[in-house]
């Protein structure tokens, strides 16, 4: 009883009746039903309670005609099991109490044991699969080794990635040892989600665009390659980053059935860099959703035109939807994608 989902067909670059569409961060604060639950539970509590995680995963699919669900979780959830102290400060995002600074800190990091450290994630995935039935496929995800490492080194989000690049440039052997460990964690985290039933995976290398292509090749490519290689042949793999115009060709060498790009790069230019034998996901600027409906529709049309009806286009925003986005405008986008791409 496997439904012929247009999202999975597009991942395989097969012909589809309409371009599939979903949104990064589609489960979240722009929905009042999310905020209502969030008012009573912390973010980590929601992630760690399968009933709550399953409920907020499904909320956007009840409202909008999305072609995929993404499991409600976070790229930082593997960290506590490794011995990294993670909290979410109100209004400030993630805070890591014991950032990694030395070779000894790297050695002290423990491997992830998913059954022990993140059992709630498998439980939530099973619950969502049961409730979705044939409505839509479910996407699992992880941070890529670089993006995850950057949080552990910086102690949270960052602008200039000073701690990350200081280790990378100054102590390359420690860097490589750290990335090996992070890669093992990411592989375990993703394999666990596949075993629990996700039907596609997205690897978020959200901040990799701060690197030159030479540094990417030397310090990141081997590890993203290892991760994507370990998952190859399981479910379709989406490999995403932002600000990657200068890196995209090199990133592709790491693997992925579909490359995710942000709004800075025209989709036709992305395919010119990548070659035609790979899918592309993207790439409406999330801020477009603050514009009036006719502007949204015109800009959706522009993205579709740039994709040129190629098999292997998955429509998405260029990055996550923002919390103050009007939900009615998401509806406008989804409807426009399906209507304007009907073959
Ligand atoms: O896409 C989805 O709907 C699935 C859920 C999802 C979340 N985080 C839930 C979340 C996904 C795919 C992520 C990925 C994630 N998490 C990334 C990579 C994605 C990207 O945007 O590039 C990163 C860098 C993180 C780490 C993280 N988690 C940060 C920096 C923050 C704070 C910033 C923010 O948006 O508030 C979070 C918290 C977080 N993760 C929220 C959600 C819904 C907000 C929590 C809240 O309700 O307060």
């Amino acid at each position: 009883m496997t439904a012929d989902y247009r999202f999975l067909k597009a991942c395989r670059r097969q012909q589809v009746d309409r371009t599939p569409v979903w949104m990064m961060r589609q489960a979240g604060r722009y929905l009042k039903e999310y905020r209502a639950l969030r008012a009573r539970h912390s973010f980590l509590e929601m992630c760690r309670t399968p009933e709550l995680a399953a409920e907020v995963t499904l909320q956007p699919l009840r409202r909008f005609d999305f072609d995929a669900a993404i499991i409600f979780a976070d790229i930082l959830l593997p960290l506590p099991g490794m011995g990294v102290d993670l909290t979410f400060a109100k209004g400030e995002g993630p805070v890591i109490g014991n950032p990694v600074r030395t070779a000894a800190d790297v050695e002290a990091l423990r491997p992830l044991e998913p059954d022990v450290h993140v059992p709630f994630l498998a439980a939530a995935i099973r619950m969502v699969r049961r409730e979705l039935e044939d409505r839509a496929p479910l996407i699992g995800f992880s941070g890529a080794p670089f993006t995850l490492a950057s949080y552990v080194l910086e102690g949270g989000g960052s602008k200039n990635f000073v701690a990350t690049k200081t280790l990378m440039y100054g102590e390359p052997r420690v860097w490589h040892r750290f990335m090996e460990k992070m890669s093992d964690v990411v592989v375990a985290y993703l394999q666990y989600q596949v075993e629990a039933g996700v039907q596609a995976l997205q690897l978020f290398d959200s901040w990799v665009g701060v690197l030159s292509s030479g540094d990417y090749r030397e310090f990141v490519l081997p590890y993203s390659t290892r991760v994507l290689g370990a998952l190859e042949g399981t479910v379709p793999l989406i490999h995403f980053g932002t600000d990657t115009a200068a890196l995209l060709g090199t990133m592709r060498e790491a693997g992925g059935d579909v490359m995710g790009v942000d709004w800075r790069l025209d989709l036709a230019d992305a395919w010119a860099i990548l070659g035609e034998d790979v899918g592309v996901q993207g790439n409406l600027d999330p801020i477009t959703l603050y514009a009036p409906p006719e502007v949204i529709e015109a800009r959706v049309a522009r993205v579709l035109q740039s994709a040129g009806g190629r098999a292997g286009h998955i429509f998405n925003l260029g990055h996550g939807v923002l919390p103050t986005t009007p939900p009615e405008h998401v509806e406008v986008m989804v409807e426009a994608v399906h209507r304007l791409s009907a073959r």
Side-chain angles (χ1 to χ4, degrees):
M1 216 187 62
T2 50
D4 212 5
Y5 301 114
R6 54 169 85 101
F7 169 81
L8 293 177
K9 288 170 102 175
C11 288
R12 298 188 293 257
R13 285 184 302 112
Q14 294 165 344
Q15 289 298 330
V16 286
D17 59 338
R18 287 148 199 265
T19 300
V21 52
W22 68 284
M23 263 186 351
M24 289 179 271
R25 295 287 179 101
Q26 68 189 21
R29 288 161 292 182
Y30 73 109
L31 295 178
K32 65 177 186 316
E33 55 273 34
Y34 175 89
R35 293 194 302 268
L37 279 178
R38 183 67 176 78
R40 293 192 278 125
H41 306 277
S42 75
F43 171 63
L44 282 175
E45 202 174 88
M46 286 177 62
C47 291
R48 288 170 175 160
T49 311
E51 293 75 12
L52 293 175
E55 167 60 21
V56 295
T57 299
L58 295 165
Q59 283 175 348
L61 277 92
R62 296 195 190 107
R63 267 195 194 236
F64 309 114
D65 193 15
F66 283 135
D67 293 293
I70 179 163
I71 192 67
F72 185 80
D74 201 85
I75 67 165
L76 305 178
L77 293 181
L79 299 182
M82 302 175 69
V84 175
D85 166 33
L86 170 71
T87 52
F88 281 86
K90 207 170 165 58
E92 285 177 48
V95 179
I96 281 151
N98 55 346
V100 163
R101 289 291 140 83
T102 65
D105 294 341
V106 171
E107 285 321 307
L109 293 171
R110 295 189 294 264
L112 182 71
E113 297 171 67
D115 270 329
V116 178
H117 298 137
V118 291
F120 49 83
L121 180 55
I125 288 167
R126 286 192 212 98
M127 245 177 233
V128 170
R129 281 297 309 273
R130 214 176 308 126
E131 293 195 36
L132 274 174
E133 297 185 338
D134 282 346
R135 161 72 181 82
L138 178 63
I139 304 168
F141 68 93
S142 171
F146 171 80
T147 289
L148 204 50
S150 79
Y151 281 95
V152 178
L153 293 165
E154 304 291 339
S158 180
K159 188 165 148 52
N160 291 319
F161 294 84
V162 173
T164 306
K165 291 183 178 181
T166 298
L167 186 72
M168 185 186 271
Y169 300 151
E171 297 195 71
R173 287 190 40 215
V174 180
W175 171 267
H176 285 293
R177 177 76 188 116
F178 183 36
M179 288 292 276
E180 271 172 24
K181 286 193 147 190
M182 296 312 280
S183 307
D184 291 344
V185 166
V186 171
V187 168
Y189 190 57
L190 291 173
Q191 279 174 342
Y192 189 61
Q193 296 178 59
V194 171
E195 285 161 21
V198 300
Q199 292 144 292
L201 289 171
Q202 178 155 323
L203 190 66
F204 283 91
D205 216 349
S206 304
W207 313 132
V208 76
V210 300
L211 297 179
S212 69
S213 64
D215 285 340
Y216 180 87
R217 182 172 292 285
E218 180 174 353
F219 294 109
V220 177
L221 179 64
Y223 307 101
S224 291
T225 303
R226 187 196 292 193
V227 167
L228 291 165
L231 275 303
E232 202 181 314
T234 58
V235 296
L237 307 172
I238 305 172
H239 186 185
F240 168 79
T242 68
D243 221 340
T244 57
L247 289 181
L248 200 59
T250 319
M251 262 180 92
R252 199 211 158 173
E253 291 177 33
D257 302 285
V258 178
M259 299 301 296
V261 296
D262 74 13
W263 61 90
R264 294 173 181 90
L265 186 63
D266 189 88
L267 293 185
D269 294 338
W271 260 299
I273 294 166
L274 292 166
E276 301 277 329
D277 58 339
V278 65
V280 172
Q281 176 174 276
N283 68 345
L284 191 72
D285 185 336
I287 312 300
T288 310
L289 297 177
Y290 292 81
E294 59 277 14
V295 175
I296 296 170
E297 176 165 336
R299 284 174 172 262
V300 164
R302 218 191 276 180
V303 170
L304 290 172
Q305 193 175 23
S306 180
R310 284 179 187 77
H313 179 218
I314 295 165
F315 197 103
N316 204 315
L317 301 178
H319 204 175
V321 65
L322 294 176
T324 52
T325 301
E328 320 80 74
H329 288 185
V330 173
E331 174 71 41
V332 169
M333 175 191 78
V334 172
E335 189 279 328
V337 171
H338 284 156
R339 175 166 42 81
L340 298 174
S341 68
R343 333 274 207 246

